[in-house]
Amino acid sequence: MATTPAPNDPDALHLPGVLSTEQLYRSADYLVRAQEPDGAIPWFPGGHTDVWDHVECAMALTVTGLIVPEHAEAARRAYRWLSQSRHPGGGWPAKFRQGTPVTNLREANHAAYPAVGVFHHLLTTGDIAFAEDLWRTVESGLEFVLALRGDHGEILWARGEDGTPGDHALLTVCSSVHHALRCGAALGTRLGRERPEWEAAADRLALLINEREELFADRSRFSMDWFYPILGGAVRGDDAQTRVAERWDTFVVPGLGVRCVSDQPWVTAAESSELVLALTSMGRTDTAVRILREIQHLRDPDDGVYWTGYQFAEQVRWPIERSTWTSAAVVLAVDALTRTTPGSQVFLHSWDTEPAVV
């Protein structure tokens, strides 16, 4: 059994003229400094934690951990925390503070995203034993999600405080769940645990995302609803190109980045980096590099940490926070653009063309 994939040179994790390897490692250092003793990675030191953003940070640390052992261990601690913090009824509480759940609301995209992270970790590190240890965590998360299916196969957005399912589905959530189901099924295949029902559920979601968008609650003012169907791998090819073109001018602010919502003068580094991931998966790397270059005004020159966003009408950073998952998204965007690690395949939707790790 092979335990090491064939990664590209980790020192290639840089974009000439945009970000150096050292700068990216400095950005990832912030995630380690923010990590709590139990392994949780909050939004910022002392802030709250949610599972989706926690996994985003763990993936970034896995990437930089190929060179920095401290980052690799922080990533493993982050994934182990997922196993320790599950809700007894399935999924994860939507918010934690200093290790304590502060709500019984459990969101579908939170429960699904560990599948993306653990598969990313396996592709990047080749650590089969670690993936085996996390398998039950991934499986239970996806089973929680599938129990939230609506009448058409859409995924209702959450299970409420009282345990009842939500009354609507969200396009971004279902796009993220689609991604997670594909990654979970691919992880299962590599571990000898086939899950064809996950692939079937993903197929159904892809059909709904492409052909029945009216089934989802209207959140069209959010840029995530614009690009996440592409980032999550449900919309591909010419349809992806058309989707990007349709609302490009609505959300992309030349020289500054991508708006979070269409009706506010506010760009964010995370949405911009996620659009970079979507564009890269489409082969539009020149445009993706330009977007990433344009958000460097949000990088703190003192320590390499990214501010969450910029309100360009008032010309101020807003909110006054430096979210961990924002720096993580930048690291993952550079990894995808440079294809430095095998883990980048999860965002390029290219793992089926690569040899299995096992």
Side-chain angles (χ1 to χ4, degrees), residues 12 29 59 96 109 117 123 128 210 250 261 279:
D29 280 340
M59 285 193 283
F96 295 81
N109 60 312
L123 289 178
I128 293 289
N210 281 276
T250 299
V261 291
L279 291 169

Side-chain angles (χ1 to χ4, degrees), residues 60-340:
L61 287 170
T62 302
V63 170
T64 58
L66 289 180
I67 287 293
V68 185
E70 182 185 9
H71 292 189
E73 179 53 31
R76 288 190 290 268
R77 290 177 56 231
Y79 285 119
R80 293 189 190 105
W81 176 82
L82 292 172
S83 298
Q84 302 160 6
S85 58
R86 286 183 288 167
H87 189 281
W92 284 266
K95 184 181 289 189
F96 295 81
R97 285 194 182 277
Q98 286 74 57
T100 301
V102 296
T103 179
N104 281 318
L105 176 74
R106 289 162 286 159
E107 298 186 29
N109 60 312
H110 292 187
Y113 211 48
V116 179
V118 175
F119 185 47
H120 175 272
H121 190 275
L122 176 60
L123 289 178
T124 303
T125 68
D127 193 338
I128 293 289
F130 190 76
E132 290 276 9
D133 288 344
L134 271 293
W135 170 253
R136 180 55 193 151
T137 299
V138 169
E139 183 180 47
S140 65
L142 290 178
E143 293 301 323
F144 171 82
V145 167
L146 292 179
L148 284 168
R149 276 181 288 195
D151 294 340
H152 303 279
E154 75 278 19
I155 305 297
L156 302 175
W157 76 281
R159 193 167 291 280
E161 293 259 7
D162 62 357
T164 59
D167 61 0
H168 62 275
L170 299 172
L171 183 61
T172 294
V173 167
C174 286
S175 299
S176 183
V177 168
H178 170 270
H179 191 196
L181 286 165
R182 299 286 191 209
C183 288
L187 175 66
T189 296
R190 283 158 174 75
L191 298 180
R193 295 181 172 89
E194 299 287 344
R195 290 295 184 271
E197 65 275 21
W198 295 355
E199 286 283 6
D203 288 343
R204 182 60 184 169
L205 277 178
L207 179 68
L208 297 178
I209 290 166
N210 281 276
E211 299 183 7
R212 297 291 306 277
E213 198 165 324
E214 77 279 0
L215 289 174
F216 305 102
D218 183 7
R219 296 291 190 274
S220 57
R221 64 188 285 263
F222 289 88
S223 61
M224 287 191 298
D225 262 26
W226 167 51
F227 61 74
Y228 233 92
I230 302 167
L231 177 55
V235 177
R236 308 291 295 276
D238 291 342
D239 290 338
Q241 301 291 347
T242 298
R243 188 177 187 92
V244 164
E246 284 175 344
R247 306 204 72 192
W248 184 269
D249 292 338
T250 299
F251 289 114
V252 178
V253 182
L256 292 179
V258 177
R259 293 177 190 254
C260 178
V261 291
S262 61
D263 55 352
Q264 294 295 326
W266 179 41
V267 297
T268 67
E271 271 82 2
S272 300
S273 297
E274 289 172 338
L275 178 61
V276 167
L277 288 169
L279 291 169
T280 304
S281 74
M282 297 162 59
R284 295 182 57 175
T285 54
D286 289 346
T287 304
V289 170
R290 189 181 78 235
I291 295 290
L292 200 62
R293 179 182 295 112
E294 289 176 347
I295 63 167
Q296 296 312 307
H297 66 94
L298 286 167
R299 180 183 179 86
D300 191 321
D302 291 335
D303 59 6
V305 180
Y306 285 82
W307 294 89
T308 297
Y310 179 69
Q311 213 278 11
F312 54 85
E314 300 293 333
Q315 299 184 354
V316 295
R317 290 169 177 153
W318 187 86
I320 305 301
E321 67 177 29
R322 305 190 305 170
S323 45
T324 50
W325 39 267
T326 293
S327 291
V330 172
V331 171
L332 294 174
V334 173
D335 188 39
L337 277 165
T338 60
R339 292 161 172 77
T340 297

